[in-house]
Structures are given as structure tokens and as C-alpha cells.
Amino acid sequence: MLPLSVRPLLLAALMLSAPLAPASAAPRVDAPAKAWVAGIVNRIGMADRAAAPGRGGQVTVRVRIEADGALGGIVLEEGPAALGERAARAVQAAAPFPPPPAGLLTLEGFTELSFPLTLR
């Protein structure tokens, strides 16, 4: 069994990726939680104001969001440091976020999302 603090991170990753197993075996995540995650990722992508043709790329970031929607932290998990800095600025510009659904919160009162972010 995974620690409860890891569960929201895994749920977010599952919601953002294609299912690996038949739908009947996939974890059940309600539509509002899926919509919230999609909205956060979209909001961060739209906040990237440094668009520079030929200077974009993809990074994977982990974003901690507190129960009230405040930004709790950003970690570059994969990708070039320069793009990571740009991604961090986009995350900061997009904050604060709508509060996470209760089902995505850890016992400590936050959620973490890990996702690929394409910067153009």
C-alpha cells in the first residue's frame, strides 16, 4: 500500500496519461477531479509568456498546490534547466489556483501534480 501523501501525485499522473489497462481495471477518478487537473495544466500552459520560436521544448514538472489553491512548490523533474526556469515562471504566473477537490488532498492538506509541459 502506498503512503497517502503519494496517492494524489499518482492519481494526477494517471489522469493525465492514457490508461494502461482496460477501463474496468483503471482507478475511478471523478469528473470534477479530472476537470480540475486539466484546468490547472491548461492554466499553466497559457501562462507561459516567453514563447520563442525554436527555443521551446518539453519539461516535466511537479507542482504542489495547497488546500486553498496557493502554490506550495515547483520541482523540475526532467528537462533542460533553462526551460525549467521558464516553466517555473509560468507556474508562478498561473497561481493561485482553484482549491483542489477534497479527494485529491493528502492528509497534510495539499496535492501534487506531475506532468509534462510543452513550452513553445
Side-chain angles (χ1 to χ4, degrees):
M1 181 96 175
L2 293 172
L4 290 176
S5 63
V6 175
R7 193 182 74 183
L9 177 61
L10 293 176
L11 285 175
L14 287 171
M15 288 188 292
L16 293 172
S17 63
L20 299 175
S24 61
R28 293 193 178 264
V29 179
D30 64 5
K34 286 182 182 180
W36 181 84
V37 170
I40 297 301
V41 173
N42 185 50
R43 184 175 178 150
I44 292 169
M46 297 297 289
D48 177 34
R49 302 198 195 311
R55 295 190 182 189
Q58 186 170 322
V59 296
T60 300
V61 294
R62 182 172 16 125
V63 178
R64 178 176 168 155
I65 301 174
E66 304 297 333
D68 65 356
L71 177 61
I74 310 160
V75 174
L76 174 65
E77 292 185 326
E78 188 176 326
L83 284 180
E85 291 172 16
R86 193 169 134 193
R89 286 192 301 272
V91 172
Q92 291 166 344
F97 303 101
L104 294 181
L105 292 174
T106 64
L107 293 176
E108 294 84 9
F110 67 88
T111 191
E112 286 186 329
L113 305 177
S114 177
F115 55 92
L117 182 62
T118 301
L119 303 167
R120 304 195 188 294

